[in-house]
Amino acid sequence: MYSTTFRPKKRFTAGTIRYSLHKQAQASLQSGINLRQVVRLPDGENLNDWVAVHVVDFFNRINLIYGTVSEYCNETTCPTMSGGSRYEYLWADGENYKKPTALPAPKYIELLMDWIESIINNETVFPVSTDIPFPKTFPTLCRKILTRLFRVFVHVYIHHFDRIVSIGAEAHVNACYKHFYYFVQEFDLISSKELEPLQEMSSRICKD
């Protein structure tokens, strides 16, 4: 059962570069300026730091968005992790699921969120101090995390958007999606093939 009270432990320590980047990103968002400009790497900042801040932020936001529909997403309503009839996602983590495995959507998303949480809380991968370098695998790993998080957007939009609308959260979810979409486009973090399931919607709402 997916817990809507689930929260990641990852927080940025006050006074660090990553904390100030996080605050900078938050302030830009709240000022209502163009999201295409918000996602651009600030002058003089490290790309890995900027990506790290956003990966954690998107994880938090998408986790909360899914939490609003999770009671409607169960093994009966969503027996597969899909985005309509054309797209089905299989889970593999190289450990408990060595081969890509079909799972009900809530199980897939639970495993996904646990997998991401374990990565972002691993200080050898997401270092807390800027004295510790990011591993060479960091960009590839972030692409994988963001690609899988995008699949949660796909599932929510295609299978549970009526619930989002019914609680009046459509504008908020769309804003989160646009921020995410512009960010991954700016740094080429998700392949165009993976973005296909929401291509029509993206071209409609991601214009500004």
Side-chain angles (χ1 to χ4, degrees):
M1 180 65 192
Y2 188 89
S3 169
T4 53
T5 57
F6 170 82
R7 292 286 184 281
K9 298 178 212 130
K10 186 77 175 187
R11 290 288 178 269
F12 296 103
T13 309
T16 64
I17 288 174
R18 267 166 230 147
Y19 180 79
S20 65
L21 284 175
H22 171 69
K23 287 296 174 194
Q24 190 174 331
Q26 292 299 308
S28 298
L29 274 180
Q30 287 158 8
S31 70
I33 63 172
N34 186 307
L35 283 169
R36 281 192 195 277
Q37 294 171 348
V38 167
V39 298
R40 288 177 190 152
L41 182 66
D43 290 342
E45 297 297 351
N46 177 279
L47 178 58
N48 282 343
D49 282 324
W50 190 237
V51 171
V53 164
H54 282 80
V55 166
V56 173
D57 191 39
F58 290 137
F59 170 64
N60 283 328
R61 288 164 185 264
I62 294 167
N63 192 34
L64 288 172
I65 287 169
Y66 181 70
T68 65
V69 303
S70 61
E71 64 183 293
Y72 300 90
C73 183
N74 54 57
E75 293 189 10
T76 306
T77 61
C78 304
T80 60
M81 178 57 182
S82 60
S85 56
R86 289 181 57 202
Y87 302 95
E88 180 181 349
Y89 302 117
L90 307 178
W91 179 256
D93 56 19
E95 293 177 12
N96 297 322
Y97 295 85
K98 289 188 168 59
K99 292 181 179 176
T101 306
L103 295 170
K107 182 63 177 174
Y108 182 106
I109 293 170
E110 180 187 358
L111 289 169
L112 169 59
M113 295 302 182
D114 287 347
W115 174 76
I116 297 173
E117 185 185 27
S118 69
I119 293 169
I120 64 177
N121 287 325
N122 180 342
E123 293 181 10
T124 63
V125 183
F126 273 70
V128 174
S129 166
T130 49
D131 298 337
I132 302 167
F134 286 92
K136 288 190 173 71
T137 55
F138 183 77
T140 304
L141 190 56
C142 286
R143 282 190 176 88
K144 194 168 188 179
I145 291 171
L146 292 167
T147 296
R148 287 179 165 183
L149 279 174
F150 178 77
R151 295 170 180 178
V152 181
F153 270 128
V154 172
H155 185 73
V156 168
Y157 268 114
I158 292 176
H159 295 279
H160 300 292
F161 200 62
D162 54 343
R163 168 64 181 164
I164 296 290
V165 172
S166 74
I167 60 172
E170 182 179 357
H172 172 71
V173 174
N174 283 349
C176 289
Y177 176 76
K178 285 168 73 173
H179 185 205
F180 181 94
Y181 180 81
Y182 287 142
F183 186 80
V184 300
Q185 289 284 79
E186 175 75 13
F187 301 106
D188 192 23
L189 294 168
I190 299 181
S191 72
S192 55
K193 186 173 185 297
E194 281 282 349
L195 293 170
E196 272 176 16
L198 297 179
Q199 191 172 18
E200 189 181 327
M201 186 195 76
S202 300
S203 63
R204 194 173 69 248
I205 72 170
C206 300
K207 292 178 186 170
D208 54 6

